[in-house]
Amino acid sequence: MAVPSEYVVTARKWRPQRFGEVVGQDHVTTTLRNALASGRIHHAYLFCGPRGVGKTTTARIVARAVNCAAPGDGIEPCNECDSCRDIISGRSIDVVEIDGASNNSVEDIRRLRENAKYPPTFGRYKVYIIDEVHMLSSSAFNALLKTLEEPPAHLLFIFATTEPHKVPATIQSRCQRFDFHRMSTRTIAEHLRTIADTEHVAIDDDALFAIARFADGSMRDAQSLFDQVRAFASGPITGADVRRSLHVLGDDVYFAITDAIAKRNLARAFELARTIVGQGFDIHQAIVGLLEHLRNTLTVRATGSTELIEASDETCQQYAELAQRFTQEDLVHMMTITAHAEQNLRFASQPQIRLELLLAQLVQLPTAYDIGRLIAELEHLRTQPPEPPQAPIAPAPSRRDDAAISAQPRTAPETEAPAQPSSVVPPAQLDWQAFVTSLPPTLKIIQPILARIPPPTFTEQQCTLACSDAGDAKTLEEKRQTLETHLAKKLGRSVSVEIVHSASAAVPPPAPPDPSPVDANPELFPIERALIEKFGAQRIAGVR
Ligand SMILES: [Zn+2]
């Protein structure tokens, strides 16, 4: 009753009527427009690509364009002349749409060939659009081939298929082929934004991205999901509404999982597994989703930008922060374990336990990050003055989750007692901590790194940053010039920034105390002891 009689589903209402309106297939529409402009129209086109990306829609536009009485720019169909209107309403006898799945016999094609002999009644071309052409029987293909070999000048075939490899080579070789692309989540979300704004539907970006992701490359599916969600929600539509309606896990669950991993909180991981299972989510989908989540995090870690993530700005920002909590090596390792779990799930009799096992493995992963960080911390302990009077040597963290990754709180003592060799002095006018806190948005990505690593050493012309993590070094390197510019602004003179990977770190360590404090007070250095036992003292010395 809420639906008025003239209610038209979004996919239909927003079906592109001109080449310029087709979304995400510019490589196809540009070529077709050029062909139309130059009058070089092929007699058979093969449109390949996944479902719901505009193959049939484009075929119909071509059919109208070649027959239009008054095409705009000589190319775009006017959609108003008699020919255009007949084709739009399905009354045209010159444009025939055939569903290859249900009209696939040799008789069907023979009938088609009979009709195709006669020239068009009104327009210039007789157009046959055959959808799902790969469904034709082989005898039907043979019958079709005869027409394709000697096509009458007035005949235009447009074949559409999701499975081009099933179309015989003899047919393919007589067609001009166009490959339609699967649409990106972002393209779909942006188009849905246009629709929502035009139709005054209050819906947030997170919701649109959730719909787009679920549609998996198909604009048509996205539009019908949009209708579905619209009918389901009463007020402004949020991402949570969409996920409830489509019964998909939210990003918040994945961020909660990686948070538990970073904090090594196994209890929390089990709790999340129970939530996923308890709410009836598909475990396979959950693991695939986690894999994608890790992949997104890795792309930010590796590239220093969120460009490769198809999500709302807010979610991208969350990824930028999350990426700083893991090393590249960690993330690759975590993805490997997760992909492996996904593969093995089909053989599992108790998928829930597999999910728990996966999360437990990830939580307990002895990460490269931790080792690197511990080594950096140990180095730092060594470079500190031997006996700071009011601050006893901080024991290395005894619980691994302390050592983990939420860097800010732990770096505070490091910046309070920086190890500065007496020969280089940081410029008096620069409070490094305040400088890091005040970085502009373009440098936000390196803020956690700068907060984490020891403060830089300065000479007149140079600021040297030393860090032990290769990923950190790479990210810093990418932002080096921006950092130089910003630093120059703060210092009132230009300074070149040097990034040193800790193997050759610029802060020279003081001579190791003799005897080693670890040997003297082993109970104060549980982790250093563990490292020595695990890697051997020599190995640790070599890290320097
Ligand atoms: Zn027209």
Side-chain angles (χ1 to χ4, degrees):
M1 127 180 229
V3 180
S5 57
E6 67 273 21
Y7 177 80
V8 181
V9 295
T10 300
R12 184 128 166 246
K13 189 168 172 187
W14 284 80
R15 173 169 292 152
Q17 301 295 346
R18 313 166 75 251
F19 291 114
E21 292 167 10
V22 175
V23 177
Q25 311 294 352
D26 291 352
H27 61 295
V28 171
T29 50
T30 305
T31 313
L32 286 172
R33 289 164 60 116
N34 290 343
L36 283 161
S38 62
R40 278 198 297 270
I41 295 163
H42 209 272
H43 64 271
Y45 292 108
L46 177 62
F47 288 179
C48 313
R51 52 192 299 277
V53 297
K55 299 186 298 296
T56 313
T57 296
T58 306
R60 289 176 186 156
I61 297 173
V62 172
R64 287 201 300 281
V66 294
N67 283 324
C68 180
D73 305 337
I75 300 165
E76 294 278 11
C78 74
N79 297 326
E80 280 166 12
C81 68
D82 288 347
S83 167
C84 283
R85 285 154 72 112
D86 279 357
I87 297 171
I88 289 172
S89 64
R91 284 194 310 265
S92 170
I93 49 174
D94 294 335
V95 175
V96 183
E97 269 188 55
I98 297 163
D99 174 13
S102 48
N103 303 282
N104 55 7
S105 70
V106 66
E107 286 73 31
D108 291 319
I109 298 301
R110 286 207 182 111
R111 206 171 311 128
L112 182 156
R113 287 179 59 200
E114 259 328 288
N115 293 330
K117 276 192 221 156
Y118 305 106
T121 324
F122 300 109
R124 286 183 297 277
Y125 283 90
K126 199 148 197 170
V127 185
Y128 288 90
I129 299 172
I130 306 186
D131 237 335
E132 300 300 343
V133 70
H134 62 272
M135 302 287 276
L136 294 188
S137 66
S138 54
S139 48
F141 270 127
N142 281 332
L144 190 60
L145 194 56
K146 288 187 181 138
T147 310
L148 283 177
E149 278 165 348
E150 292 162 19
H154 63 262
L155 201 57
L156 171 58
F157 280 108
I158 305 176
F159 305 126
T161 180
T162 50
E163 299 180 62
H165 57 280
K166 291 186 180 166
V167 177
T170 46
I171 301 282
Q172 291 205 31
S173 65
R174 286 174 172 80
C175 299
Q176 186 177 357
R177 174 172 170 161
F178 289 94
D179 286 282
F180 285 63
H181 295 163
R182 179 188 175 280
M183 287 192 210
S184 76
T185 301
R186 183 170 295 278
T187 302
I188 294 176
E190 282 168 1
H191 189 61
L192 292 179
R193 168 54 63 207
T194 309
I195 295 173
D197 288 352
T198 311
E199 307 205 340
H200 307 292
V201 179
I203 183 165
D204 68 21
D205 281 348
D206 188 29
L208 295 180
F209 272 97
I211 293 172
R213 200 170 304 137
F214 196 78
D216 195 25
S218 164
M219 183 68 86
R220 184 169 62 221
D221 287 357
Q223 289 171 333
S224 58
L225 288 169
F226 178 75
D227 288 341
Q228 189 181 322
V229 168
R230 230 170 132 175
F232 166 90
S234 47
I237 304 165
T238 65
D241 291 331
V242 171
R243 286 185 274 269
R244 204 160 41 241
S245 159
L246 304 176
H247 200 65
V248 292
L249 271 175
D251 288 338
D252 50 335
V253 175
Y254 297 120
F255 279 107
I257 289 175
T258 35
D259 184 63
I261 295 169
K263 290 179 173 154
R264 311 200 173 283
N265 189 338
L266 187 55
R268 174 76 178 133
F270 275 128
E271 193 184 311
L272 289 162
R274 197 174 58 220
T275 310
I276 292 168
V277 174
Q279 296 184 3
F281 287 106
D282 181 85
I283 290 179
H284 182 252
Q285 281 310 314
I287 294 179
V288 170
L290 178 60
L291 192 57
E292 193 186 330
H293 175 72
L294 294 171
R295 173 265 177 204
N296 285 347
T297 314
L298 178 61
T299 63
V300 181
R301 193 76 182 98
T303 65
S305 97
T306 55
E307 250 167 60
L308 294 173
I309 298 181
E310 297 189 311
S312 64
D313 291 348
E314 204 180 316
T315 309
C316 284
Q317 182 54 40
Q318 273 179 287
Y319 275 116
E321 283 157 24
L322 178 63
Q324 296 308 321
R325 301 176 71 181
F326 298 98
T327 62
Q328 217 160 291
E329 291 78 7
D330 282 343
L331 290 164
V332 171
H333 198 168
M334 285 156 73
M335 282 180 75
T336 310
I337 293 173
T338 308
H340 198 66
E342 191 233 324
Q343 244 171 16
N344 289 335
L345 193 69
R346 72 191 68 162
F347 307 114
S349 53
Q350 288 175 294
Q352 173 180 353
I353 295 180
R354 293 303 177 100
L355 176 64
E356 289 172 345
L357 173 64
L358 167 64
L359 295 185
Q361 282 176 319
L362 294 175
V363 165
Q364 301 206 323
L365 193 70
T367 69
Y369 186 91
D370 256 9
I371 300 297
R373 180 168 169 73
L374 288 175
I375 290 170
E377 282 176 2
L378 290 170
E379 272 182 42
H380 186 69
L381 281 174
R382 285 187 177 144
T383 57
Q384 274 184 326
E387 290 295 318
Q390 66 279 63
I393 295 174
S398 57
R399 285 179 353 150
R400 306 206 64 185
D401 48 345
D402 289 342
I405 312 185
S406 51
Q408 268 82 345
R410 284 206 53 81
T411 46
E414 293 178 14
T415 41
E416 277 162 20
Q420 297 295 346
S422 55
S423 55
V424 289
V425 185
Q429 63 268 47
L430 185 72
D431 174 347
W432 181 250
Q433 252 185 308
F435 173 77
V436 170
T437 318
S438 72
L439 288 178
T442 46
L443 288 169
K444 273 279 184 282
I445 189 121
I446 61 167
Q447 198 171 47
I449 301 176
L450 293 178
R452 185 158 68 218
I453 64 175
T457 51
F458 280 97
T459 62
E460 269 309 296
Q461 282 97 28
Q462 189 167 306
C463 161
T464 306
L465 290 159
C467 63
S468 60
D469 178 77
D472 282 350
K474 184 164 180 284
T475 309
L476 287 174
E477 191 59 48
E478 278 158 6
K479 290 286 175 187
R480 189 170 56 80
Q481 284 192 327
T482 320
L483 183 61
E484 278 175 355
T485 312
H486 189 64
L487 200 54
K489 216 180 286 173
K490 279 276 142 95
L491 291 176
R493 65 193 170 87
S494 70
V495 170
S496 71
V497 171
E498 180 91 5
I499 289 131
V500 184
H501 194 198
S502 85
S504 57
V507 182
D514 194 19
S516 147
V518 182
D519 294 335
N521 297 304
E523 69 285 352
L524 284 180
F525 298 94
I527 289 184
E528 189 155 14
R529 293 245 18 118
L531 284 171
I532 289 169
E533 278 157 22
K534 209 161 182 176
F535 299 105
Q538 210 148 9
R539 174 91 187 274
I540 285 185
V543 163
R544 207 169 273 289

